[in-house]
């Protein structure tokens, strides 16, 4: 998983509670068979405090996706590039309130 400089900076400066949830969400994303969780109830196996959805409903199969954390207290926005040898997830934004 890669991070933009701004996302990394925001992550490093957030409270421990938010950072812990971001790292837990990271673990779920990098171990998922399909990090976009396509399909009905595809994210049913995720922890109750985490949901994944497309950032724009017009591109559910690609483009940026958002992980809502703790009922909206925070989020992580990422893109996934499916590459044969080395799939890549790029975090573009993180937030914790």
């Amino acid at each position: 998983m890669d991070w933009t400089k701004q996302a990394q900076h925001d992550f490093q400066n957030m409270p421990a509670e938010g950072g812990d949830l971001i790292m837990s969400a990271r673990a779920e994303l990098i171990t998922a068979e399909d990090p976009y969780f396509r399909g009905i109830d595809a994210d049913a196996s995720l922890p109750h405090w985490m949901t994944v959805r497309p950032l724009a409903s017009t591109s559910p199969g690609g483009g940026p996706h958002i992980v809502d954390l703790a009922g909206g207290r925070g989020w992580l926005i990422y893109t996934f590039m499916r590459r044969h040898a080395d799939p890549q997830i790029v975090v573009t934004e993180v937030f914790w309130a």
Side-chain angles (χ1 to χ4, degrees):
M1 179 177 272
D2 294 323
W3 300 69
T4 63
K5 286 185 180 187
Q6 185 62 50
Q8 183 69 36
H9 177 268
D10 293 344
F11 169 70
Q12 291 172 339
N13 291 304
M14 69 176 44
E17 178 186 11
D20 290 347
L21 285 181
I22 294 287
M23 292 308 289
S24 294
R26 175 192 177 276
E28 294 289 341
L29 290 174
I30 64 173
T31 59
E33 184 175 319
D34 178 6
Y36 278 158
F37 297 93
R38 290 173 265 238
I40 297 171
D41 295 329
D43 62 355
S45 65
L46 292 175
H48 65 75
W49 50 265
M50 178 181 172
T51 59
V52 177
R53 62 184 168 80
L55 193 57
S57 62
T58 56
S59 58
H65 276 57
I66 185 167
V67 179
D68 290 310
L69 303 170
R73 286 199 57 206
W75 64 76
L76 178 149
I77 297 175
Y78 70 97
T79 57
F80 173 65
M81 289 173 261
R82 188 178 304 279
R83 300 185 299 199
H84 178 69
D86 186 24
Q88 183 182 30
I89 296 173
V90 178
V91 177
T92 57
E93 183 178 330
V94 293
F95 174 78
W96 186 257

